[in-house]
Amino acid sequence: MQPIAWNDLQDFLAVARTGQIARAAVLLGVDATTVGRRLRRLEARLGRTLFEQTREGQVLTEAGETLLAQVEQMASAAERIGEGADPPGALTGTLRVSVSEGFGIWLVAQHLESFAAVHPALTIDLVANSGFLSPSRREADVAVLLARPRHGPVVASKLSDYALHLYAARSLVERDGVPTLATLGKRHRLVGYIPDLLYAPELRYLHEIDSALAPTLRSSSINAQARLIAAGAGVGVLPHFIGGHDESLLRVIPDVAITRGFWLVTHRDTRQLRRVRAFRHWLTQLIDQQRDRLLPACNTVP
C-alpha cells in the first residue's frame, strides 16, 4: 500500500468533525474540490469507503469510525508535541470556544481581553451564536452548553446555574400597566423564540410558565429579543445577566423564576492541552467572580 499523507488524514478529520466537505474546506482554508480529491485518494489507498453521502452531508461508515478514532489520537499527539515546542509558559495555536449568544456576548466577550493579554500568541475563536459547535466531534476545544451531554467522548462539569425572569420596559409599564399572568399575550404582547428554530429544549421558557403562552414577536436571537423588550414592544423572558443590568427594564411578575445551567464541556482527548486547561481555569474564575450577575436579586416593579 502506498504511504498515506498526513494532509489527507487531516482533511478526513475535518470532514468527520464538520459533517460536510464544504465546511471542512472553509476550516482548512482550501477549496472543496481539493478536499474531495484527497478523500477519494485516501479511500483508494485504504481500499475502504469512509463516508456515505447523505442530503445533509458526509456520514462516517464503520470503517470511517474506526479510522477516526486512530486519527484523533494522532492529532492529539501532534498537538501535544507542538505544545512541547513552545517557549515555557507561552500558549500558541488556535483555541476555539463555542458558547450561547447571550453568555458569549454579555459575559465572556466583556472580559476575554484579560485572558488574551496573558496569552498574546494564542488565536482565540469565540463562536457565540444561536447553536453550538460539538466538542465530541472536535468542532470546538471548549463549549459552554445548556445541558450535560448524554454521550460522546467528552468531559463535562457544571459551570453555574443562572436565573431568568420576565422583563418589561419601564415605558411599557407606564403605557400599558403592570403585566400579570392574566394579561400576558393579551394586553401585553409576548416576545420570545421562534419555536421551530430553537437550538436547545432548555430555551422553552414560556411553556414552563404556562403551556398556553405563545410569543407573537419572535426571534432566534436573545439579543434581538432583549432589544425588542427594551423598546417597549412586549414582555419576555431574559437571563438576569442581560435583563437585570439594563436600567430601562423592570422585572415583572416576580413569582415567575426560572433556573437553567451552564455546562463546561471539553473533549476527553484534548482537555489536558495547556491552552484548554488555561481557558477552563480562566473561565471558571470569571464565573466565580460574576456569580451575582447569574443568580442575583432582581429589580422588580414596585
Side-chain angles (χ1 to χ4, degrees):
M1 184 176 68
Q2 290 181 319
I4 296 171
W6 174 236
N7 281 346
D8 292 356
L9 293 175
Q10 287 179 306
D11 286 12
F12 162 78
L13 185 58
V15 175
R17 288 175 176 174
T18 61
Q20 290 185 358
I21 287 178
R23 289 180 183 174
V26 172
L27 187 65
L28 295 164
V30 299
D31 61 81
T33 302
T34 299
V35 176
R37 184 178 67 251
R38 289 175 179 172
L39 276 183
R40 290 191 296 273
R41 181 171 63 195
L42 179 61
E43 289 181 326
R45 288 178 177 173
L46 292 174
R48 307 172 198 166
T49 299
L50 301 174
F51 293 99
E52 291 181 2
Q53 179 68 48
T54 70
R55 292 180 63 183
E56 290 74 28
Q58 279 63 44
V59 176
L60 285 165
T61 62
E62 185 176 349
E65 293 281 2
T66 300
L67 181 62
L68 177 61
Q70 297 170 331
V71 175
E72 285 199 321
Q73 290 179 358
M74 295 169 63
S76 296
E79 287 177 338
R80 289 193 292 271
I81 292 170
E83 285 198 339
D86 292 339
L91 296 181
T92 60
T94 300
L95 178 77
R96 179 161 293 181
V97 181
S98 177
V99 293
S100 62
E101 181 191 20
F103 181 83
I105 292 173
W106 291 84
L107 285 171
V108 179
Q110 291 186 11
H111 301 276
L112 190 58
E113 191 278 334
S114 65
F115 180 77
V118 177
H119 307 290
L122 182 65
T123 298
I124 305 166
D125 294 343
L126 180 63
V127 184
N129 53 21
S130 299
F132 296 107
L133 300 180
S134 170
S136 66
R137 300 180 64 174
R138 300 283 296 276
E139 294 173 345
D141 299 298
V142 180
V144 179
L145 306 181
L146 301 180
R148 184 172 196 157
R150 297 181 180 179
H151 52 79
V154 296
V155 178
S157 59
K158 188 69 166 289
L159 189 59
S160 178
D161 285 328
Y162 66 101
L164 304 103
H165 305 286
L166 282 164
Y167 288 93
R170 294 176 184 273
S171 60
L172 179 143
V173 173
E174 293 170 359
R175 184 187 69 222
D176 299 330
V178 178
T180 67
L181 285 175
T183 65
L184 290 182
K186 298 172 185 174
R187 178 153 49 98
H188 295 101
R189 184 187 290 114
L190 280 168
V191 175
Y193 282 101
I194 304 170
D196 59 340
L197 295 182
L198 284 174
Y199 61 90
E202 291 77 20
L203 300 179
R204 297 185 185 280
Y205 307 133
L206 293 176
H207 281 205
E208 193 164 312
I209 300 170
D210 186 331
S211 60
L213 293 177
T216 54
L217 277 176
R218 310 188 302 189
S219 175
S220 60
S221 164
I222 189 65
N223 290 308
Q225 292 177 42
R227 299 313 303 158
L228 285 166
I229 296 168
V235 179
V237 175
L238 294 173
H240 176 76
F241 58 80
I242 298 177
H245 296 269
D246 186 333
E247 291 298 324
S248 71
L249 298 181
L250 290 169
R251 176 181 166 186
V252 297
I253 317 180
D255 289 343
V256 174
I258 299 169
T259 302
R260 293 290 189 269
F262 288 126
W263 289 84
L264 183 59
V265 183
T266 55
H267 194 285
R268 68 187 179 200
D269 290 342
T270 58
R271 68 186 308 268
Q272 293 305 325
L273 291 174
R274 288 197 298 131
R275 61 180 178 270
V276 175
R277 285 191 286 117
F279 185 81
R280 282 169 37 215
H281 177 71
W282 174 82
L283 184 60
T284 301
Q285 284 194 322
L286 173 66
I287 295 307
D288 285 343
Q289 295 164 3
Q290 299 292 318
R291 194 74 62 183
D292 62 337
R293 293 196 66 186
L294 295 163
L295 292 166
C298 295
N299 188 22
T300 61
V301 174

